Amino acid sequence: MNVNESAENYLETILILSKSHPVVRSVDIAEELGFKKSSVSVAMKNLRMKEHITVTKEGFIYLTESGKAIAEMIYERHELLTDWLVRLGVDPEIAAEDACRMEHVISKESFEAIKKHVK
């Protein structure tokens, strides 16, 4: 499951969008992240080559089992770290931004320790 931060962000975004959209398309991802559609297309090609997503002929994007596992891991980290920072008194907007950076670099061991402590 070794992927870079950018790929993790795309996978997490697909997961989040899939919760509120009937289907996810490149244009939805571009709008959500504020990126050009061409940049998103390149990223989707890379994720497809790594078999983290599938794309239908209509352009609908779906997470594969491996893509969903990565997305859910990153999303869980983001939610827990954001909540933890807010509970520590950090402004919610700053907490979300910091959690977004932390979620990609924190070790599994450290995250599990925080998770155990928070819950």
Side-chain angles (χ1 to χ4, degrees), residues 42-97:
V42 170
M44 293 306 104
K45 179 182 176 188
N46 291 334
L47 291 173
R48 198 170 57 245
M49 287 173 41
K50 292 180 180 173
E51 300 182 350
H52 294 314
I53 63 166
T54 58
V55 182
T56 67
K57 63 182 180 188
E58 297 86 6
F60 302 155
I61 300 166
Y62 297 96
L63 295 169
T64 63
E65 210 171 291
S66 67
K68 189 172 184 177
I70 294 165
E72 287 177 343
M73 175 196 67
I74 294 299
Y75 185 68
E76 177 191 24
R77 287 178 174 201
H78 182 87
E79 292 293 296
L80 188 129
L81 292 169
T82 300
D83 182 61
W84 179 53
L85 291 170
V86 168
R87 285 201 249 163
L88 290 173
V90 177
D91 175 87
E93 192 173 314
I94 293 170
E97 290 171 9

Side-chain angles (χ1 to χ4, degrees), residues 10-11 19 21 31 35 50 64 101 108:
Y10 278 110
L11 293 170
K19 294 173 188 276
H21 290 61
E31 284 177 16
F35 294 164
K50 292 180 180 173
T64 63
R101 288 190 291 277
K108 184 176 182 174

